[in-house]
């Protein structure tokens, strides 16, 4: 594509497009014929345009022949014709005056073939402003209005804005220059213009297009016309960012050294030929010596505590032999006041005034040493606390390996620490009971900051498998990421949970399979659940009654108030009442109500129903039968009593026909014995259950009968009666009554001859099912031993025989009156 250029006969003014445009406005004033032919615009069309309207600035690389280094022109434009054709041009300009105005002549050199063809001859490319591409400074040209007229490639490299981004913008709107520097720039231009001075500089911090801070120095030159008006300002930009960084670093280093040497933070010293040549104020305050004292006759060794002089001498010897050029050592220093401090000092070899010198700093580490000692004690305390925790604690590194554990962890598994360090959790896993892949997922989650909690199965060293609960938490161990595992043996909890599950299963089976009806109700008396027994009794399944108020289903209308009162009970209750089944039948039921109370609130209630309809019928039959038997038994006791009364009457009649006093006495004794038994039957006849006799009442009546029978012998006998509430069955009551009769009768007959105040004491109590009976008189006592007396006395024989019948223990004492003590077991 030659665009009207002649390749045979080179005529510069005919074959190159030329333009004359206003220096300040870029307005095209004139063009040659070649420009009209190549671009397709008429001269009037050109004159309505600015030169910059013809295209945009481009950055391209010319690839020369034979692989020599590429060349990047500074002013390569992509121009566009009226018909839309595009090509690359390089602009050559020359400034001059035309019709009293500053203009520029621009020649547009077609470089399209140089860019596109690998065989292009680099040397044929126009060498216009070639030096700008290698110029280390950015170039900006402003017009008299301080609008950008030109923007070099280096300026683009420094600030990031392209030629098209920045061209024609005034200095105030250029984002790279802060407002304060714009003001300085304008002030300096105004000042220089008044004196027609040419050169000025500004420097400061600027912003690139990317927002990065850079430090630049601007070298500016003002171009005036013959009238002293500003034609343009050329600015050369020096990027001093790196240089300024170095300067700042040097300043910072100087400042740091100044602060280090003169502030009170660290001690700084210089030693030359084993003497101090410089000490800062901190070293003076730290040691307690003045600067004059330290720089005088003192040597560094004089500051040392006696414990560390050997350490210092060894270091000095190595230093002199140049085996080291720097050192770090901790020493004990004796202050001027005699106290001791710990100092850590760092030193390096330098040359000062041609002599080897030690420059160093010293830091008082007394508190650090003391803190370290406290830290050691704290670590020991921590270790003690760590090992005293009852739960097992393991610390894993980021690979999952055990790196620390407490005593509880070792005890849990039975391993030593040496056996576990470096192992992974699978070493402790119970085979077949742990998903190791899932365990690794949980470990990774915990390592990344997400705590985990789960159950796991472990295996002890002895092979025992056990469940445990594990909590994984993220943490750090000596600055590195770690996972802290806390585990607890839950064998007992697991066992209890298993028992609870089994009990729940048993309860469910018991609940469902119980032959009695059970309904679980909520606190509104609505049905939650019923069992099969409930359906058997009332005909309703759980599905039919769930969520329905039970009272509305099974309570008769006349029992609703009663049911409401029972439902509101806060205590367990048992109640017999009637209920209605699904088919309308009224049945008798025994109800057990058991409230379920949580936090002092009733949350539900168990209603337990037993159908006792048939039982009540049977009980009524039994009650009717029992009533008949009780009447019959009462009649028997009554007839036995009457028959004994008849016998007593017959004996009484017989006495009237006897002449022997001994025979009469024998009949009288027999009458008394019959009366004793008859009184038992009378008491049974009068009792409610016909099974036992209230012996307290019986004894009092019996003693009265005996006293009445023997009044003719001794009417002055008194009784001391102490009898508890004792009930005896007829099998015990009759022998016991006969024994009392025989003893008291014997006392009336034989005990009180010549006794002024005769008394008989009777005690009768029951203690834990054992009857303790005592009958004692204050008479003359027994004239002989009981065994000898029993040979001739029917009464004594009866007492012994009846005691044996009661399986009792009889003790008789004949001194100071006669006492009988009998103990026997009462029937339960």
């Amino acid at each position: 594509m030659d665009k009207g250029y002649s390749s045979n006969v080179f005529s510069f003014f005919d074959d190159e497009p030329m333009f004359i445009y206003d220096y300040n406005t870029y307005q095209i004033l004139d063009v040659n014929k070649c420009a009209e032919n190549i671009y397709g615009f008429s001269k009037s069309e050109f004159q309505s345009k600015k030169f910059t309207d013809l295209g945009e600035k481009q950055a391209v690389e010319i690839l020369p022949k034979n692989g020599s280094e590429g060349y990047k022109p500074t002013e390569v434009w992509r121009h566009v014709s009226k018909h839309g054709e595009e090509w690359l041009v390089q602009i050559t300009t020359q400034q001059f005056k035309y019709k009293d105005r500053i203009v520029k002549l621009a020649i547009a050199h077609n470089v399209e073939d140089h860019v596109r063809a690998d065989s292009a001859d680099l040397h044929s490319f126009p060498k216009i402003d070639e030096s700008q591409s290698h110029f280390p400074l950015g170039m900006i040209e402003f017009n008299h209005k301080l609008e950008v007229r030109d923007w070099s490639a280096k300026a683009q490299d420094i600030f990031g804005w392209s030629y098209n981004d920045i061209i024609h913008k005034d200095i105030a709107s250029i984002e790279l220059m802060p407002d304060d520097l714009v003001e300085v720039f304008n002030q300096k231009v105004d000042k220089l213009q008044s004196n027609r001075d040419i050169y000025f500089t500004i420097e400061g911090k600027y912003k690139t297009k990317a927002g990065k801070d850079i430090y630049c120095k601007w070298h500016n030159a003002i171009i005036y016309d013959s009238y002293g008006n500003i034609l343009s300002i050329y600015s050369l930009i020096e990027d001093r960012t790196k240089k300024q960084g170095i300067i700042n670093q040097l300043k910072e280093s100087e400042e740091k050294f100044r602060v280090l040497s003169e502030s009170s933070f660290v001690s700084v010293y210089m030693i030359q030929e084993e003497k101090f040549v410089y000490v800062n104020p901190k070293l003076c305050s730290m040691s307690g010596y003045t600067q004059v004292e330290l720089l005088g006759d003192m040597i560094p060794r004089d500051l040392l505590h006696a414990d560390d002089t050997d350490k210092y001498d060894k270091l000095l010897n190595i230093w002199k032999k140049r085996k080291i050029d720097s050192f770090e050592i901790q020493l004990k220093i004796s202050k001027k006041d005699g106290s001791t401090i710990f100092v850590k000092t760092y030193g390096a070899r330098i040359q000062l005034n041609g002599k080897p010198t030690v420059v160093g700093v010293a830091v008082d580490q007394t508190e650090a040493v003391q803190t370290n000692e406290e830290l050691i004690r704290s670590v020991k305390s921590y270790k003690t606390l760590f090992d005293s925790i009852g739960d097992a604690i393991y610390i894993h590194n980021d690979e999952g390996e055990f790196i620390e554990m407490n005593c509880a962890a070792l005890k849990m598994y039975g391993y030593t620490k040496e056996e576990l360090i470096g192992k992974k959790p699978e070493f402790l896993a119970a085979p077949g009971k742990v998903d190791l892949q899932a365990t690794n997922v949980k470990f990774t989650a915990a390592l990344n900051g997400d705590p985990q909690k789960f159950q796991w199965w472990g295996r002890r060293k002895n092979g025992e498998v056990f469940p445990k609960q594990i909590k994984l938490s993220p943490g750090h161990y000596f600055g590195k990421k770690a996972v802290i595992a806390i585990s607890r043996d839950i064998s007992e909890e697991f066992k209890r949970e298993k028992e609870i599950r089994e009990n729940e299963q048993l309860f469910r089976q018991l609940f469902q399979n119980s032959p009695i009806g059970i309904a679980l109700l909520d606190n509104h008396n609505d049905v939650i659940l019923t069992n099969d027994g409930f359906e058997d009794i009332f005909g309703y399944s759980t599905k039919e009654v769930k969520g329905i108020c039970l009272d509305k289903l099974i309570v008769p209308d006349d029992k609703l108030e009663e049911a409401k009162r029972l439902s509101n009970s806060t205590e367990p209750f048992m109640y017999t009442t009637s209920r209605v089944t699904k088919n309308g039948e009224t049945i008798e039921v025994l109800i057990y109500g058991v409230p379920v109370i949580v936090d002092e609130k009733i949350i539900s209630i168990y209603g337990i129903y037993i159908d006792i309809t048939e039982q009540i019928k049977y009980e009524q039959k039994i009650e009717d039968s029992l009533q008949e038997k009780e009447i019959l038994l009462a009649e028997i006791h009554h007839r036995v009593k009457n028959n004994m009364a008849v016998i007593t009457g017959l004996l009484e009649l017989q006495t009237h026909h006897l002449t022997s006093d001994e025979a009469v006495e024998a009949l009288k004794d027999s009458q008394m014995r019959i009366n004793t038994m008859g009184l038992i039957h009378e008491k049974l006849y009068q009792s409610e259950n016909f099974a036992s006799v209230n012996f307290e009442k019986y004894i009092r009546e019996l003693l009265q009968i005996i006293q009445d029978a023997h009044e003719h012998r001794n009417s002055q006998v008194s009784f001391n009666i102490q009898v508890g509430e004792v009930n005896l069955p007829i099998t015990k009551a009759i022998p016991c009554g006969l024994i009392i009769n025989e003893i008291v009768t014997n006392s009336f007959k034989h005990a009180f001859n010549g006794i002024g105040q005769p008394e008989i004491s009777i005690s009768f109590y029951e203690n834990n099912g054992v009857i303790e009976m005592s009958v004692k008189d204050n008479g003359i006592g027994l004239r002989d031993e009981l065994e000898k007396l029993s040979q001739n006395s029917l009464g004594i024989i009866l007492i012994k025989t009846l005691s044996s019948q009661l399986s009792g223990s009889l003790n008789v004492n004949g001194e100071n009156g006669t006492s009988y003590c009998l103990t026997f077991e009462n029937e339960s």
Side-chain angles (χ1 to χ4, degrees), residues 187-199 222 224 228 230:
Q187 289 174 353
K188 290 198 173 188
V189 169
D190 293 341
K191 184 177 180 181
L192 265 65
Q193 186 179 8
S194 63
N195 300 323
R196 297 195 70 175
D197 290 332
I198 297 174
Y199 179 74
I222 303 176
Y224 300 97
I230 295 176

Side-chain angles (χ1 to χ4, degrees), residues 421-437:
I421 292 295
K423 300 294 193 302
K424 292 189 175 182
E426 49 262 38
F427 179 73
L428 300 178
K433 297 183 76 68
V434 173
D435 185 341
L436 294 177
Q437 185 175 359

Side-chain angles (χ1 to χ4, degrees), residues 164-198:
N164 297 320
D165 292 333
I166 213 79
I167 199 70
H168 300 318
K169 291 185 178 179
D170 61 72
I171 192 169
S173 64
I174 299 175
E175 298 176 3
L176 61 89
M177 184 177 287
D179 293 342
D180 56 336
L181 288 180
V182 171
E183 185 176 353
V184 171
F185 191 93
N186 288 329
Q187 289 174 353
K188 290 198 173 188
V189 169
D190 293 341
K191 184 177 180 181
L192 265 65
Q193 186 179 8
S194 63
N195 300 323
R196 297 195 70 175
D197 290 332
I198 297 174

Side-chain angles (χ1 to χ4, degrees), residues 608-784:
I608 302 172
Y609 298 86
I610 301 175
D611 185 353
I612 58 172
T613 305
E614 293 300 321
Q615 180 181 337
I616 288 178
K617 291 179 182 178
Y618 292 142
E619 285 179 354
Q620 188 61 47
K621 288 181 181 179
I622 291 171
E623 187 176 343
D624 293 343
S625 175
L626 184 60
Q627 226 170 4
E628 292 175 359
K629 290 178 180 178
E630 285 177 350
I631 293 171
L632 179 61
L633 189 58
E635 182 64 24
I636 290 171
H637 284 303
H638 181 64
R639 290 187 180 184
V640 169
K641 172 184 171 294
N642 289 342
N643 289 337
M644 286 185 175
V646 169
I647 294 171
T648 302
L650 290 173
L651 292 174
E652 180 67 27
L653 290 174
Q654 185 66 39
T655 59
H656 295 301
H657 298 284
L658 294 175
T659 56
S660 170
D661 292 338
E662 186 177 352
V664 171
E665 189 68 27
L667 289 177
K668 291 288 184 183
D669 289 342
S670 297
Q671 276 184 299
M672 234 5 261
R673 291 167 184 144
I674 292 171
N675 284 336
T676 299
M677 292 185 289
L679 183 60
I680 295 291
H681 285 282
E682 181 180 349
K683 292 301 174 188
L684 287 171
Y685 167 70
Q686 293 173 353
S687 69
E688 293 180 356
N689 57 15
F690 305 107
S692 62
V693 176
N694 186 322
F695 224 64
E696 190 266 340
K697 294 180 180 179
Y698 172 77
I699 287 175
R700 293 183 185 277
E701 291 189 25
L702 177 61
L703 293 176
Q704 187 62 49
I705 292 172
I706 296 172
Q707 189 175 33
D708 291 344
H710 294 279
E711 188 176 5
H712 64 284
R713 284 194 177 94
N714 195 337
S715 61
Q716 302 300 319
V717 176
S718 63
F719 292 101
N720 180 8
I721 303 172
Q722 295 180 3
V723 182
E725 281 289 331
V726 181
N727 290 306
L728 292 181
I730 188 171
T731 55
K732 301 285 185 179
I734 289 176
C736 196
L738 289 172
I739 290 171
I740 293 172
N741 174 69
E742 293 301 323
I743 294 172
V744 173
T745 299
N746 280 344
S747 294
F748 269 98
K749 287 181 178 180
H750 309 293
F752 301 123
N753 292 332
I755 301 300
Q757 293 181 339
E759 181 183 71
I760 298 175
S761 298
I762 298 177
S763 171
F764 200 95
Y765 288 101
E766 181 175 7
N767 186 13
N768 294 326
V770 176
I771 302 297
E772 297 177 354
M773 184 184 76
S774 172
V775 182
K776 181 179 180 181
D777 63 47
N778 62 347
I780 60 175
L782 295 177
R783 65 179 182 273
D784 211 339

Side-chain angles (χ1 to χ4, degrees), residues 453-653:
K453 188 175 182 180
F454 55 94
Q455 286 190 359
W456 209 70
W457 286 86
R459 182 176 67 176
R460 307 187 208 277
K461 187 175 182 179
N462 62 9
E464 180 187 352
V465 174
F466 67 101
K468 65 177 187 174
Q469 188 175 72
I470 298 178
K471 182 179 180 182
L472 301 180
S473 302
H476 288 82
Y477 189 73
F478 289 101
K480 295 184 178 180
K481 289 180 69 175
V483 171
I484 301 169
I486 301 177
S487 65
R488 183 165 53 88
D489 187 340
I490 57 171
S491 299
E492 290 301 319
E493 292 89 335
F494 193 82
K495 182 180 178 181
R496 285 196 294 270
E497 288 177 2
K498 183 179 179 182
E499 291 175 351
I500 290 172
R501 289 194 298 271
E502 291 175 349
N503 290 337
E504 287 177 349
Q505 183 64 27
L506 290 173
F507 174 78
R508 281 195 293 270
Q509 293 179 3
L510 177 63
F511 177 86
Q512 198 60 43
N513 301 324
S514 175
I516 60 178
I518 305 174
L520 177 61
L521 314 176
D522 63 18
N523 56 357
H524 300 296
N525 220 28
D526 295 339
V527 177
I528 300 174
L529 185 66
T530 62
N531 70 341
D532 294 341
F534 184 88
E535 184 175 358
D536 292 341
I537 294 173
F538 293 101
Y540 294 104
S541 66
T542 297
K543 186 176 180 181
E544 291 177 288
V545 298
K546 189 173 183 179
I548 299 174
C549 179
L550 188 60
D551 289 350
K552 294 180 180 179
L553 289 175
I554 65 173
V555 178
D557 292 342
D558 60 340
K559 302 287 187 180
L560 284 174
E561 286 300 320
E562 169 195 283
K564 183 177 180 181
R565 177 174 52 81
L566 293 175
S567 298
N568 293 332
S569 175
T570 59
E571 299 291 336
F573 62 86
M574 181 180 69
Y575 198 76
T576 302
T577 185
S578 58
R579 291 290 183 263
V580 180
T581 65
K582 183 178 179 180
N583 61 15
E585 179 186 357
T586 300
I587 60 174
E588 298 298 322
V589 292
L590 177 62
I591 303 175
Y592 293 91
V594 183
V596 180
I597 300 174
V598 176
D599 294 332
E600 300 181 354
K601 292 181 180 179
I602 297 176
I603 62 169
S604 59
I605 186 171
Y606 280 102
I608 302 172
Y609 298 86
I610 301 175
D611 185 353
I612 58 172
T613 305
E614 293 300 321
Q615 180 181 337
I616 288 178
K617 291 179 182 178
Y618 292 142
E619 285 179 354
Q620 188 61 47
K621 288 181 181 179
I622 291 171
E623 187 176 343
D624 293 343
S625 175
L626 184 60
Q627 226 170 4
E628 292 175 359
K629 290 178 180 178
E630 285 177 350
I631 293 171
L632 179 61
L633 189 58
E635 182 64 24
I636 290 171
H637 284 303
H638 181 64
R639 290 187 180 184
V640 169
K641 172 184 171 294
N642 289 342
N643 289 337
M644 286 185 175
V646 169
I647 294 171
T648 302
L650 290 173
L651 292 174
E652 180 67 27
L653 290 174

Side-chain angles (χ1 to χ4, degrees), residues 90-236:
Q90 187 179 25
I91 307 299
T92 303
T93 63
Q94 179 61 46
Q95 183 176 305
F96 61 94
K97 272 193 176 183
Y98 174 69
K99 294 182 180 180
D100 295 328
R101 65 197 300 183
I102 303 298
V103 298
K104 273 194 173 185
L105 170 66
I107 303 172
H109 306 281
N110 187 328
V111 294
E112 184 76 14
D113 292 338
H114 295 281
V115 174
R116 301 270 177 112
D118 290 342
S119 60
D121 185 0
L122 180 62
H123 298 286
S124 66
F125 191 79
K127 298 298 187 293
I128 309 299
D129 291 336
E130 181 179 348
S131 62
Q132 285 193 18
S133 64
H134 302 291
F135 195 55
L137 305 181
M139 192 276 289
I140 306 174
E141 182 185 352
F142 298 95
N143 63 17
H144 68 288
K145 296 180 181 179
L146 297 183
E147 296 172 337
V148 178
R149 286 180 45 81
D150 200 3
W151 180 264
S152 71
K154 185 63 178 179
Q156 178 175 336
D157 290 342
I158 293 172
F159 295 106
W161 279 282
S162 68
Y163 179 90
N164 297 320
D165 292 333
I166 213 79
I167 199 70
H168 300 318
K169 291 185 178 179
D170 61 72
I171 192 169
S173 64
I174 299 175
E175 298 176 3
L176 61 89
M177 184 177 287
D179 293 342
D180 56 336
L181 288 180
V182 171
E183 185 176 353
V184 171
F185 191 93
N186 288 329
Q187 289 174 353
K188 290 198 173 188
V189 169
D190 293 341
K191 184 177 180 181
L192 265 65
Q193 186 179 8
S194 63
N195 300 323
R196 297 195 70 175
D197 290 332
I198 297 174
Y199 179 74
F200 70 95
T201 63
I202 60 171
E203 60 181 306
K205 190 181 292 185
Y206 299 85
K207 287 280 188 184
T208 66
K209 185 177 182 179
K212 180 181 176 183
D213 288 330
I214 59 175
Y215 196 88
C216 296
K217 185 172 183 178
W218 290 43
H219 304 269
N220 308 283
I222 303 176
I223 308 299
Y224 300 97
D225 62 14
S226 58
Y227 302 106
N229 298 317
I230 295 176
L231 290 175
S232 61
I233 301 174
Y234 286 90
S235 298
L236 298 178

